[in-house]
Amino acid sequence: MSRFSETVKNTVGYNPGRDAEDFSRHSGGAGKIAVIGAGPAGMTAAIFAAENGAEVTLFERNGRDRLGRKLGITGKGRCNLTNECGINPRFLYSAFNFCSPADVMSWFEGMGVPLKVERGRRVFPVSDKATDIVLTLKSRILALGIKIEGATVTSVEHDGEEFSVVHSKGCDPFEKVIIATGGKSYQTTGSDGLGYGLAEELGHTVTPLRASLVPLVCKGELCRSMMGLSLKNIAFSVRDNRTGGIVYEDFGEMLFTHFGMSGPVVLSASAVIGEGLTADRYTALIDLKPALDRKMLDSRLLSEFSQNPNRNYSNSLSSLLPQKMIQPFAVKSGISPDKKVNSVTREERERIIDLLKCFDIPITGLRPIDEAIVTSGGVSVKEISPKNMESKLVPGLYFAGEIIDVDAYTGGYNLQIAWSTGRLAGAAAAQSLKGI
């Protein structure tokens, strides 16, 4: 979607007078900070805590050599690291004021990663390699002398003055803790929901979790018959069958799979319909020819039919549709694929145009949360201070990234949340140790 403020969900009000503070850089020992989770938010938090003088230990359950595993596969391995857009989300106002998309771009380019902006204002490394982003963050972490502990954190205890981080290799004391363990999606990368349990043990509320930005499961064999087919430059919308209204619409790319549909516009649609999805509630509507109106399509069909009057109906569709879609389209139209086009009636022609402009597919469900790009739900934003990402319940405890109950559509927005909340949490935690 075009405006970030329309993509960020589950937010609460903010006080404009309590925006991000001016965390100017200071040097000197500021105390010990534990950052739990080495994804984009965790690595960013560790970097900015260290740059602000703190002694930082970064805990990563995958091992010290496996930082940023999920980040390394984002954007189909290309890493859509942000979106060059205007932003004004509510709960995240301070975080984005402190670290905007422009700041993220300047940060990575300053670390030697050239970037480019593509369609939809999506930002990628020029190399199209997510590994370049991961390696750059790792290099900065090593340069700052941040300790990387390859261990699984099992609990975080707080006695009112300091924290005890209990992990698979022992127990260590810290003055501040930042939890940035991600969600429950892509569990093979280490995002198994560990952080939610840590937050709950410390008294925090975790809102219901569900898949967001996840492929859609569709009824019947229609999608399976077109498995592997990618459509570009289509208009995609979702109709609520209860009301007849359109609840989501976008323009872009999609992919048919053995279970249903995937691709950018489909993933974003899932974030809208997931919570209220039932087997018969929603229908996907695909405009296969958004640049052509009905009159233009009719003229094109008449021209095609007149040039080859004895051609079979299915063969006549080759100039309008990709090969893999022709047979399923013909069957769905209810017109015999072998019918000669000189016998196609006006009514049948209208039916073809209807289908070209509104190829409908019933949606029956979502794929499992482990296949989702992000997790919807998490630590309640009502219990986190928006000005610095600190817990309102446990002083000295901070949160960053996907573990927080904020998520957005596809297009670089979710990684921007990670960079912004991580940077703010890291800097704020370090500065608070020095009384700033």
Side-chain angles (χ1 to χ4, degrees), residues 349-381:
R349 212 168 62 244
E350 288 292 324
R351 203 183 309 160
I352 296 169
I353 295 171
D354 287 342
L355 208 52
L356 286 169
K357 297 298 291 181
C358 188
F359 192 84
D360 59 305
I361 303 175
I363 300 168
T364 58
L366 303 177
R367 293 295 285 176
I369 193 169
D370 191 40
E371 296 182 26
I373 293 178
V374 298
T375 304
S376 180
V379 178
S380 173
V381 295

Side-chain angles (χ1 to χ4, degrees), residues 170-435:
C171 178
D172 295 300
F174 294 93
E175 294 168 74
K176 307 287 180 180
V177 170
I178 302 171
I179 300 180
T181 50
K184 290 192 71 174
S185 56
Y186 284 115
Q187 294 186 21
T188 55
T189 64
S191 298
D192 63 356
L194 166 72
Y196 300 126
L198 299 179
E200 287 178 323
E201 288 177 359
L202 289 163
H204 275 277
T205 302
V206 175
T207 62
L209 307 176
R210 65 175 178 84
S212 184
L213 302 187
V214 66
L216 298 176
V217 179
C218 300
K219 186 176 181 179
E221 296 296 313
L222 181 60
C223 292
R224 182 185 293 272
S225 68
M226 297 182 287
M227 180 174 61
L229 174 62
S230 177
L231 299 179
K232 297 182 179 181
N233 301 319
I234 51 93
F236 185 89
S237 59
V238 177
R239 181 183 66 216
D240 187 334
N241 297 324
R242 296 181 184 179
T243 65
I246 300 299
V247 297
Y248 173 83
E249 55 187 349
D250 202 354
F251 180 89
E253 303 175 17
M254 63 166 293
L255 171 72
F256 291 107
T257 69
H258 67 285
F259 55 77
M261 299 179 290
S262 188
V265 297
V266 173
L267 296 175
S268 289
S270 73
V272 175
I273 68 175
E275 191 169 1
L277 180 59
T278 56
D280 59 353
R281 181 167 181 179
Y282 296 109
T283 299
L285 310 174
I286 307 168
D287 185 344
L288 298 166
K289 299 294 176 183
L292 303 177
D293 60 23
R294 295 183 65 88
K295 184 176 180 181
M296 295 167 70
L297 280 172
D298 193 34
S299 296
R300 184 165 171 177
L301 284 174
L302 287 171
S303 175
E304 184 71 30
F305 291 173
S306 64
Q307 292 175 28
N308 302 280
N310 293 314
R311 200 175 190 186
N312 289 346
Y313 160 57
S314 60
N315 292 335
S316 71
L317 297 173
S318 60
S319 65
L320 286 168
L321 300 170
Q323 186 63 38
K324 205 163 189 175
M325 195 175 198
I326 290 175
Q327 190 68 15
F329 184 96
V331 171
K332 190 170 175 62
S333 71
I335 304 170
S336 172
D338 298 327
K339 186 171 186 175
K340 303 302 180 184
V341 292
N342 58 11
S343 299
V344 173
T345 66
R346 179 180 179 83
E347 180 183 13
E348 289 173 329
R349 212 168 62 244
E350 288 292 324
R351 203 183 309 160
I352 296 169
I353 295 171
D354 287 342
L355 208 52
L356 286 169
K357 297 298 291 181
C358 188
F359 192 84
D360 59 305
I361 303 175
I363 300 168
T364 58
L366 303 177
R367 293 295 285 176
I369 193 169
D370 191 40
E371 296 182 26
I373 293 178
V374 298
T375 304
S376 180
V379 178
S380 173
V381 295
K382 295 178 182 179
E383 299 169 357
I384 301 172
S385 172
K387 75 172 185 177
N388 56 12
M389 298 296 119
E390 185 176 17
S391 165
K392 294 180 179 179
L393 309 181
V394 184
L397 176 67
Y398 297 77
F399 296 96
E402 192 178 348
I403 191 172
I404 304 172
D405 184 17
V406 287
D407 60 281
Y409 295 152
T410 186
Y413 304 113
N414 287 288
L415 276 180
Q416 179 63 47
I417 292 174
W419 310 130
S420 294
T421 56
R423 184 171 183 170
L424 180 57
Q431 295 291 354
S432 69
L433 287 169
K434 294 179 285 186

